[in-house]
Every structure is written in structure tokens, then in C-alpha cells.
Amino acid sequence: MTTLSQDQKQLVQEKAKAIRVSIVQSVTAAKSGHPGGSLSIADVMSLLYFVEMNVDPANPNKQDRDRFVLSKGHAAPALYATLAEKGYFPKSELLNLRKINHFLQGHPDMKHTPGVDMSTGSLGQGISAACGMALAGKVDNANYRVYSILGDGELEEGQVWEAAMFAGHYKLNNLTAFVDYNGLQIDGDIEKVMSPLPIPDKFKAFKWNVIEVNGHDIDELHQAIQEAKAFTEGPTCIVMHTVKGKGVVEMEGQAGWHGKAPSEEQGVAFVNEIMGVQ
């Protein structure tokens, strides 16, 4: 299995920082949105779009591209920040998040936003669509891979497990799902709201290959993705142990920042913190 070069790792880290800055700026400008669960997936988003995935901003709909489905659609600020950083549309558009007559809606919209492969928002439906894309790839003998990110709270949706059963049954080895396991959802601790634990065992029961990683460790994430690509017997679930609000101390590990926008003053302070500005 390949390892990341120092240049690749530095690129991913720099882009993850830029993605976090854009998340804070866009949600602050919108005065609404979901920063906590967006910040927690910035590292994997950076790695996927700048190293792992076969995508081309100049040709967003090319047939052999890898597909990405943000099943936890409320984390759209992370997807938008990544797409803008990659060059799908101008970064200035991020400040129009959730504004009328602009294309960055509160949840991803495949019809109007360049680079978005699936409209998502109703939890559980994204991973189901990803399974359909993966099966289509198998039927067509296509080489593309499908990646999807789920929230740990999203695992409380029954539809997720129907999709998991489907993917395992049809041996969708071109599908990799990531679980953003930060332990918090809008109403608090996932174990107290409606525990989906143990997450790895559940996916294993549906015939998935399961890998657990530190979701903020670029090397661990890269190795897990390489292992998923090499696994031929079925789909892979990468359970990422993450910190909600990662990168902003005031937000880290706080369920209250699931769907709350910073004030303008906080937004400036949070951006400076991410950038390391005193």
C-alpha cells in the first residue's frame, strides 16, 4: 500500500485548514448552518478531494469520475468549502450560503451546485443513493468508486441499515462509507438520545469490511482508504473517531454548536484561531 508523500500530506493539511476557515466564514455570513459536524470532517474531505478521488472541476460530470455523497447533508458547509477550494466555483460564493438567488442551499443540491453528485438532507437517503450509484457502476463495469459520509446520529435512521444490508448483499466493493463518529448530535450525546453502538459490529453483521481510525490523522485515513480500495469481497466502512467542532476550541466537543452560527465577532476570532493568528 502507498504512503502519502510529505508534499501530499502538507497539501492536505493546508487545504483542511482553508476548508475550516471557509466553513466558519460561510456559516457566520449566513447567520445559520451547521458548523460542528462540518469542522469534524474537514480532514477527510481535504484528503478525498486533493489526493484520493478521481475528479475534475473543469469537467464535473465526466463519466469516469469518482462519486461523493454527503449523506449527513446538513454538513453542506464542509462540502461547499471543499468544492470551492478545489475550483468548482469561486470561493466568494461561499459568503452567499443559504441566500435567496444563490446556489448554495442549506443542504446539497445536485441540480444547481457544480460538483454535487447527490441532493441530500433527509438522513439515511444519501447512503442509499450511494449504494445505487455503486451498483450501477458494477452493472456497467465502470471503474469509478463511490464515497459517502454519514453522521453517527444518522445511524439512528432505519434506512441506513437497509442500505447497509443492500451493500453487503450485493458485495459493493466499489463503495466506501465513512462514519463521522464524534459522539454528539443536535440533542446531545448519541448514547443517551438513541444509541447506535456498537457501530463497527453492526456494519460487520451486514458483511462490511470495517476499519477504525483517528478521523483527524491524515496518514491513518489514507491507509484506510487504500485498504478499502484493495478489499474485493464487499463494501468498506471507515469509522472515524472525530471531535465535533475540530479546530475551534470553543466548539470542540460541544453539541450546542451542532446547528448554531457564530456571531460576527466570534467568526473573526474563530478564523484567527484556525489560522494561528494571535
Side-chain angles (χ1 to χ4, degrees), residues 169-191:
H169 176 77
Y170 287 105
K171 301 183 186 300
L172 300 181
N173 59 356
N174 56 346
L175 173 65
T176 301
F178 301 85
V179 175
D180 181 24
Y181 183 17
N182 59 51
L184 298 169
Q185 58 190 104
I186 192 168
D187 289 327
D189 188 324
I190 63 167
E191 293 189 54

Side-chain angles (χ1 to χ4, degrees), residues 1-262:
M1 293 197 182
T2 62
T3 57
L4 288 174
S5 69
Q6 202 56 41
D7 287 345
Q8 286 177 313
K9 188 172 180 179
Q10 184 176 353
L11 173 66
V12 172
Q13 291 170 333
E14 289 175 353
K15 292 301 185 182
K17 181 184 290 187
I19 289 166
R20 286 191 167 94
V21 166
S22 291
I23 289 168
V24 171
Q25 290 176 331
S26 62
V27 174
T28 300
K31 296 182 172 59
S32 66
H34 297 80
S38 295
L39 290 166
S40 60
I41 63 171
D43 299 299
V44 71
M45 292 298 292
S46 178
L47 180 62
L48 284 172
Y49 276 86
F50 289 94
V51 174
E52 309 290 355
M53 289 173 59
N54 170 28
V55 293
D56 182 5
N59 186 11
N61 297 315
K62 68 172 187 167
Q63 288 301 306
D64 67 341
R65 75 188 185 282
D66 289 334
R67 273 67 168 169
F68 176 80
V69 180
L70 183 64
S71 196
K72 45 175 269 177
H74 55 275
L79 175 57
Y80 298 155
T82 305
L83 293 174
E85 198 66 36
K86 186 70 175 177
Y88 283 88
F89 51 82
K91 290 181 71 173
S92 58
E93 191 62 36
L94 295 171
L95 298 180
N96 294 316
L97 174 67
R98 292 182 168 229
K99 292 183 180 177
I100 297 295
N101 297 323
H102 291 273
F103 58 76
L104 298 183
Q105 298 188 37
H107 292 80
D109 174 14
M110 65 187 292
K111 292 186 177 181
H112 300 99
T113 308
V116 173
D117 288 315
M118 179 53 59
S119 301
T120 56
S122 184
L123 298 177
Q125 292 186 3
I127 185 61
S128 300
C131 287
M133 290 177 179
L135 183 61
K138 303 288 282 186
V139 171
D140 293 340
N141 291 315
N143 292 323
Y144 67 76
R145 297 190 62 81
V146 182
Y147 298 91
S148 184
I149 298 181
L150 301 98
D152 48 6
E154 182 180 6
L155 302 185
E156 297 161 14
E157 293 281 358
Q159 185 172 349
V160 169
W161 302 109
E162 292 180 67
M165 179 168 55
F166 177 97
H169 176 77
Y170 287 105
K171 301 183 186 300
L172 300 181
N173 59 356
N174 56 346
L175 173 65
T176 301
F178 301 85
V179 175
D180 181 24
Y181 183 17
N182 59 51
L184 298 169
Q185 58 190 104
I186 192 168
D187 289 327
D189 188 324
I190 63 167
E191 293 189 54
K192 295 179 180 178
V193 177
M194 178 66 72
S195 177
L197 306 185
I199 295 170
D201 291 349
K202 285 186 169 67
F203 277 95
K204 288 176 183 177
F206 287 110
K207 303 177 183 177
W208 286 59
N209 175 41
V210 178
I211 309 165
E212 292 190 70
V213 299
N214 175 347
H216 304 302
D217 187 304
I218 302 302
D219 290 316
E220 284 190 28
L221 284 166
H222 173 70
Q223 289 302 317
I225 292 169
Q226 298 312 299
E227 183 179 326
K229 289 178 179 178
F231 187 74
T232 60
E233 298 304 310
T236 293
C237 175
I238 300 175
V239 180
M240 306 185 301
H241 293 264
T242 61
V243 176
K244 201 177 189 81
K246 178 68 174 178
V248 177
V249 172
E250 185 174 326
M251 289 190 187
E252 290 185 348
Q254 300 299 316
W257 283 104
H258 176 89
K260 181 176 72 171

